[in-house]
Amino acid sequence: MLTATEREICETRKEAAKSALLFFKGKHIKSANNPFHWVGNRSGRQAAWNTINNYRTNDSHLASVAQTVENVSATGVGNCEDKAVVLYFNLHQNVRLSISEHHHNVQIVGSVGWDHSFVIISDVDIQPRQPVDCYDLGKTCCIVDGWTEDWHFPNMSLNELNDNHLRSSCWIRQAWAREKIRRHKIGCTNANILGYKHVKPKEDRSLKLR
């Protein structure tokens, strides 16, 4: 059973996640490594791969947060790590998180042993080279996955999700990704490799889209 404070924290994170994910729907962003986006369009999928590889090469592989947002927005394509950066940027601009009296740690993270990047909003600050199990992040942890355009609270029971209106519907690919995330440790190694500093939105409002 969640406390009143936990419910408030989760509600804030839920709305922030939903708002951040709207970017992909509004701009119809596709992933080159998502086969469902390219059914019957092999040439389109290859072109998307070429576009992503090109902007990563030219920008020293996701050299800056703002530049990555520009690349994804301008080209209409991006894979999981590109989308994670966009989410990171959008969550830093989120008013709900910024004005909240509670601690909301936003990090770009990756699944250890599975090539996948996403964002967490949690109370826990994952340290470099110290991966954690998903359940270590607590009940109020919200996972925001740009690749599947999905948000969820992985450490709550079904009853808790339903009772607190925190259950998000998912289809088969999203359910598959959720289960994969649960089965792998979560680390911030991907974020460190990409060069992004994970900070609380409340403490850093300096990110500006050029």
Side-chain angles (χ1 to χ4, degrees):
M1 183 176 179
L2 298 183
T3 65
T5 298
E6 288 174 330
R7 283 197 297 272
E8 182 180 345
I9 290 171
C10 290
E11 183 65 24
T12 298
R13 292 174 181 176
K14 177 187 78 172
E15 294 302 322
K18 290 168 65 175
S19 177
L21 286 166
L22 288 175
F23 176 94
F24 304 119
K25 293 190 186 325
K27 295 185 177 295
H28 307 288
I29 307 299
K30 295 182 178 181
S31 295
N33 56 1
N34 177 1
F36 294 100
H37 284 163
W38 309 99
V39 176
N41 186 7
R42 181 178 296 181
S43 61
R45 185 180 185 185
Q46 184 58 53
W49 271 113
N50 293 341
T51 298
I52 292 172
N53 289 332
N54 182 59
Y55 70 59
R56 287 180 177 179
T57 300
N58 290 341
D59 296 322
S60 300
H61 188 53
L62 306 176
S64 74
V65 173
Q67 187 60 57
T68 299
V69 177
E70 288 185 0
N71 290 338
V72 173
S73 181
T75 63
V77 293
N79 287 336
C80 64
E81 56 190 320
D82 312 283
K83 288 185 168 184
V85 175
V86 172
L87 287 173
Y88 177 82
F89 177 87
N90 287 339
L91 288 167
H92 270 273
Q93 313 305 310
N94 187 270
V95 175
R96 284 177 177 267
L97 295 181
S98 295
I99 66 174
S100 173
E101 63 183 34
H102 303 294
H103 171 88
H104 300 286
N105 190 62
V106 177
Q107 284 184 268
I108 300 173
V109 297
S111 295
V112 179
W114 179 39
D115 185 16
H116 187 50
S117 299
F118 50 96
V119 172
I120 60 169
I121 315 173
S122 72
D123 305 325
V124 178
D125 185 6
I126 302 177
Q127 298 299 309
R129 296 176 295 281
Q130 296 180 28
V132 300
D133 289 313
C134 188
Y135 64 79
D136 291 330
L137 299 175
K139 287 187 176 183
T140 59
C141 172
C142 181
I143 288 177
V144 196
D145 192 338
W147 191 63
T148 57
E149 299 182 18
D150 181 36
W151 62 270
H152 67 287
F153 292 88
N155 297 319
M156 287 192 201
S157 68
L158 185 58
N159 285 340
E160 286 173 322
L161 292 172
N162 288 332
D163 291 346
N164 296 283
H165 307 289
L166 297 171
R167 185 182 180 187
S168 59
S169 59
C170 66
W171 52 293
I172 187 167
R173 181 166 148 269
Q174 292 170 327
W176 171 81
R178 290 184 185 187
E179 185 60 26
K180 291 273 283 186
I181 289 172
R182 288 191 190 97
R183 290 183 178 182
H184 290 78
K185 284 186 177 293
I186 296 173
C188 66
T189 51
N190 283 16
N192 288 341
I193 290 171
L194 296 175
Y196 306 127
K197 181 182 179 183
H198 54 272
V199 292
K200 292 178 289 185
K202 203 169 187 178
E203 297 178 351
D204 186 349
R205 303 180 189 181
S206 63
L207 296 175
K208 299 296 181 183
L209 182 60
R210 293 196 302 267

